[in-house]
């Protein structure tokens, strides 16, 4: 038994009331002698991604019992961006990552556990759980909650944007809305595209903190339950060996994960979450690392919203392990993982086990080949998916998912149309008060402005309106992982901190040059300006600038907006 496990048992045995309380919840004397494992999930009725996680917790608990441990089940239900859309609830979503992480930390520290299993599917819960694992640094493993099934005609929840735009424009779409209501989420699991939920499941696996092949498993298959039980058995091995998250979450592991992210065309929100996870271990992951890697790594995965297929097909095509195999010459294959083996050994074992062959058999049911979904390395047509832009509009950086941007919008110059909140921007778009080809500047939406809400309603209104296809949006807020089009977020410094985005005025000329990684003000409404003239203009405006300050109710949002670091650093609490 590992030294830490023996120490944990000694602490528990030293206080009689501890064992008494355990027996008061159904334990017996043999349970008290065994290694004790915290099983933490986000099960609840909050959304389809969490609704089934109690079953995975049961399976993990069974696996723990099978290998001689005693599981204890704790819960902290997460929340969904979709519930919070179009009202002030969205301001609490990113802050919920910190709340959930803190809750799991409390659960993890109040008892001297020997090991830990965390179970989650979605946007903020997966990074929160990984942050907590890193912070607690006890032997632990993550179980992803997998993917929802596709709806009729391979539809999914992202399609709400098109229906919502028609509805806002006064069209009679009640039949479409009813069909969407009944089939947009036909079961449990994360949304069926490479949004933030699917991305972060993939990141958990790519970091080595989830068993190989567990990200994106269709939640309706029994595979996911078997893998959860296997994870329960494996956490006992981790506890026996004393293998901790700090042994797995190394600089090399983060670089491997960012390379997988580039090949997947993952959500821009990973640029908030991976640095926040690394921060828990005093590892600094900066935006430049993402940008450098995205210049080098081929874009391999043909998945929505950047590509054609749904996330379920990515798992059938081999999921994260297939991507890692394609990138094997670019990855550090010696990094340790929760299997107790290194990444290279895991990939060899999966091939021997027939994992890839079984998945391709599922794809055959849809008359789809593996290479249709995950391109072989030599057939990639481009590199990366994310770019970090800098310039006088974003001195610290801004983020764009260029794989979802039309090629004719990779370089664009337009007149600024400025808004200080999303409600006004959305209203202007829907009422036809935004000129085609302009650049919407949406500010005071950053972490310290109002909690960094997801800007999806406005972006969907843009991309679903043919007249505004060549209209860009720039914000210090963040975007949904499902966002499509010329959408640039995470502008830093944010407006409330006095970043240049706070000084933009209607009519300023904005240049977006994604290949050159540039985002800049290049003129005012009267003429083009050189860089010195722009700086002089901004200096003059700053003398007259008064920040827009939003009042927040007492509680977590007020604390978060007062303490969060810059989005470009991860928006975690300082």
């Amino acid at each position: 038994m590992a030294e830490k496990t023996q120490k944990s048992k000694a602490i528990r045995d030293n206080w009689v009331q501890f064992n008494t309380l355990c027996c008061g919840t159904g334990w017996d004397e043999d349970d008290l002698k065994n290694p004790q494992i915290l099983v933490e999930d986000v099960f609840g009725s909050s959304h389809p991604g969490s609704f089934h996680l109690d079953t995975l917790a049961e399976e993990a608990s069974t696996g723990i019992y099978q290998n001689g441990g005693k599981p204890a089940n704790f819960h902290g239900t997460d929340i969904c961006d979709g519930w919070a859309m179009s009202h002030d609830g969205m301001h609490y979503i990113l802050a919920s990552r910190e709340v959930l992480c803190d809750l799991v930390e409390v659960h993890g520290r109040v008892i001297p556990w020997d090991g830990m299993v965390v179970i989650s599917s979605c946007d903020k819960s997966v990074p929160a759980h990984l942050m907590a694992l890193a912070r607690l640094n006890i032997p632990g493993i993550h179980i992803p909650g997998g993917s929802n099934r596709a709806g009729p005609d391979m539809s999914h929840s992202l399609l709400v944007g098109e229906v919502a735009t028609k509805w806002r424009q006064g069209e009679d779409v009640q039949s479409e809305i009813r069909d969407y209501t009944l089939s947009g989420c036909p079961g449990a699991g994360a949304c069926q595209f490479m949004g933030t939920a699917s991305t972060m499941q993939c990141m958990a696996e790519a970091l080595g903190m989830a068993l190989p092949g567990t990200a994106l498993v269709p939640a309706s298959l029994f595979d996911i339950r078997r893998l959860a039980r296997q994870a329960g058995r494996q956490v006992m091995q981790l506890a026996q060996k004393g293998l901790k998250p700090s042994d797995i979450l190394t600089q090399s592991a983060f670089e491997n994960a960012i390379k997988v992210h580039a090949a997947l065309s993952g959500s821009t929100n990973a640029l908030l979450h991976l640095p926040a996870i690394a921060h828990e271990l005093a590892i600094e992951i900066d935006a430049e690392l993402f940008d450098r890697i995205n210049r080098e790594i081929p874009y391999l995965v043909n998945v929505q919203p950047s590509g054609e297929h749904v996330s379920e097909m990515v798992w059938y095509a081999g999921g994260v392990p297939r991507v890692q195999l394609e990138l094997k010459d670019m990855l550090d294959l010696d990094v340790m993982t929760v299997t107790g083996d290194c990444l290279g050994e895991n990939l060899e074992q999966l091939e021997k086990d027939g994992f890839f062959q079984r998945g391709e058999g599922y794809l055959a049911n849809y008359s789809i080949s593996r290479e249709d979904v995950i391109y072989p390395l030599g057939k990639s047509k481009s590199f990366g998916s994310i770019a970090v832009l800098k310039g006088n509009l974003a001195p610290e950086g801004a983020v764009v998912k260029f794989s979802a941007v039309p090629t004719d919008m990779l370089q664009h110059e337009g007149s600024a149309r400025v808004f200080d909140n999303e409600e006004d921007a959305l209203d202007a778009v829907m009422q036809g008060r935004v000129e085609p080809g302009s650049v919407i500047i949406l500010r005071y939406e950053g972490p310290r402005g109002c909690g960094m809400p997801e800007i999806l309603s406005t972006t969907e209104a843009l991309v679903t309106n043919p007249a505004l296809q060549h209209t860009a949006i720039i914000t210090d807020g963040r975007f949904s992982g499902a966002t499509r089009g010329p959408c640039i977020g995470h502008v830093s410094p944010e407006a409330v901190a006095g970043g240049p985005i706070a000084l933009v005025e209607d009519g300023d000329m904005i240049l977006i040059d994604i290949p050159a990684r540039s985002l800049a003000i290049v003129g005012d409404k009267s003429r083009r300006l050189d860089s010195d003239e722009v700086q002089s203009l901004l200096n003059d405006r700053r003398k007259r600038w008064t920040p827009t300050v939003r009042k927040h109710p007492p509680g977590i949002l007020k604390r978060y907006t007062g303490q969060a670091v810059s989005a470009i650093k991860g928006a975690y609490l300082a």
Side-chain angles (χ1 to χ4, degrees), residues 265-287:
S265 185
S267 165
T268 54
N269 285 307
L271 278 81
L272 297 171
H273 301 319
L274 289 178
I277 298 163
H279 172 72
E280 298 292 341
L281 292 164
I283 297 172
E284 183 175 351
I285 302 295
D286 59 31

Side-chain angles (χ1 to χ4, degrees), residues 31-284:
D31 291 329
L32 297 172
K33 301 173 186 177
N34 294 330
Q36 294 171 13
I37 308 297
L38 171 62
V39 179
E40 181 85 41
D41 63 58
V42 291
F43 164 69
S45 298
S46 53
H47 56 92
S50 291
F51 191 63
H52 63 307
L53 298 185
D54 57 335
T55 62
L56 302 190
E58 291 172 4
E59 294 289 355
S61 296
T62 298
I64 291 165
Y65 275 123
Q66 288 175 335
N67 271 24
K70 175 64 177 79
N73 297 96
F74 283 57
H75 319 279
T77 302
D78 64 344
I79 54 177
C80 176
D81 296 52
W83 287 86
M85 202 67 62
S86 300
H87 66 94
D88 287 348
M90 180 56 75
H91 298 158
Y92 290 82
I93 295 292
L94 185 55
S96 75
R97 181 188 70 180
E98 314 303 313
V99 175
L100 181 57
C101 177
D102 289 350
L103 176 64
V104 176
E105 180 195 6
V106 170
H107 291 168
R109 292 206 192 277
V110 75
I111 296 172
W113 302 102
D114 299 301
M116 180 176 178
V117 175
V118 291
I119 307 170
S120 48
S121 303
C122 291
D123 300 33
K124 310 308 171 295
S125 54
V126 175
H129 277 168
L130 294 175
M131 289 166 67
L133 281 171
R135 186 181 296 178
L136 291 164
N137 202 28
I138 60 175
I141 192 168
H142 178 254
I143 300 176
S147 296
N148 207 319
R149 299 305 306 270
D153 300 313
M154 303 305 284
S155 62
H156 50 69
S157 60
L158 175 58
L159 300 180
V160 65
E162 297 173 14
V163 177
T165 296
K166 292 177 182 177
W167 176 73
R168 290 191 187 103
Q169 292 173 339
E171 294 187 34
D172 182 7
V173 289
Q174 291 305 310
S175 177
E176 290 181 56
I177 289 174
R178 183 169 185 267
D179 288 343
Y180 172 79
T181 300
L182 296 176
S183 61
C185 294
C191 295
Q192 272 277 21
F193 47 86
M194 194 54 65
T196 308
S198 295
T199 296
M200 292 314 300
Q201 288 190 34
C202 292
M203 292 299 93
E205 183 178 335
L207 285 167
M209 290 303 298
L211 290 176
T214 52
L216 310 183
V217 186
S220 57
L221 296 185
F222 270 100
D223 295 70
I224 197 169
R225 299 184 65 152
R226 286 191 287 268
L227 288 165
R229 187 176 297 195
Q230 182 182 341
R233 292 194 292 265
Q234 184 58 30
V235 76
M236 295 299 297
Q237 296 297 318
L238 298 176
Q240 180 76 28
K241 296 176 180 179
L243 188 63
K244 304 184 297 296
S246 59
D247 300 317
I248 297 169
L249 293 172
T250 62
Q251 179 74 30
S252 293
F254 280 101
E255 292 188 15
N256 278 356
I258 295 170
K259 290 173 183 178
V260 171
H261 180 270
L264 284 170
S265 185
S267 165
T268 54
N269 285 307
L271 278 81
L272 297 171
H273 301 319
L274 289 178
I277 298 163
H279 172 72
E280 298 292 341
L281 292 164
I283 297 172
E284 183 175 351

Side-chain angles (χ1 to χ4, degrees), residues 435-454:
E435 289 292 322
S438 61
V439 177
I440 294 173
I441 302 291
L442 178 53
R443 61 197 182 190
Y444 295 103
E445 302 283 350
R448 294 210 172 198
C450 62
M452 205 177 185
E454 176 181 287

Side-chain angles (χ1 to χ4, degrees), residues 496-516:
V496 78
I501 191 173
L503 307 175
V504 179
E505 295 182 359
D506 283 340
D508 286 349
M509 294 306 298
I510 308 297
L511 176 64
I512 301 167
D513 191 337
I514 295 174

Side-chain angles (χ1 to χ4, degrees), residues 3 15 65 68 79 131 159 176 196 211-212 218 239 253 269 294 311 332 345 377 413 415 426 454 464 475 547 557 568:
E3 181 181 347
W15 181 239
Y65 275 123
I79 54 177
M131 289 166 67
L159 300 180
E176 290 181 56
T196 308
L211 290 176
N269 285 307
N294 273 269
S311 55
D332 182 346
E345 292 170 324
L377 195 61
E413 185 173 319
S415 176
L426 178 60
E454 176 181 287
T464 55
T475 181
L557 186 58
I568 214 69

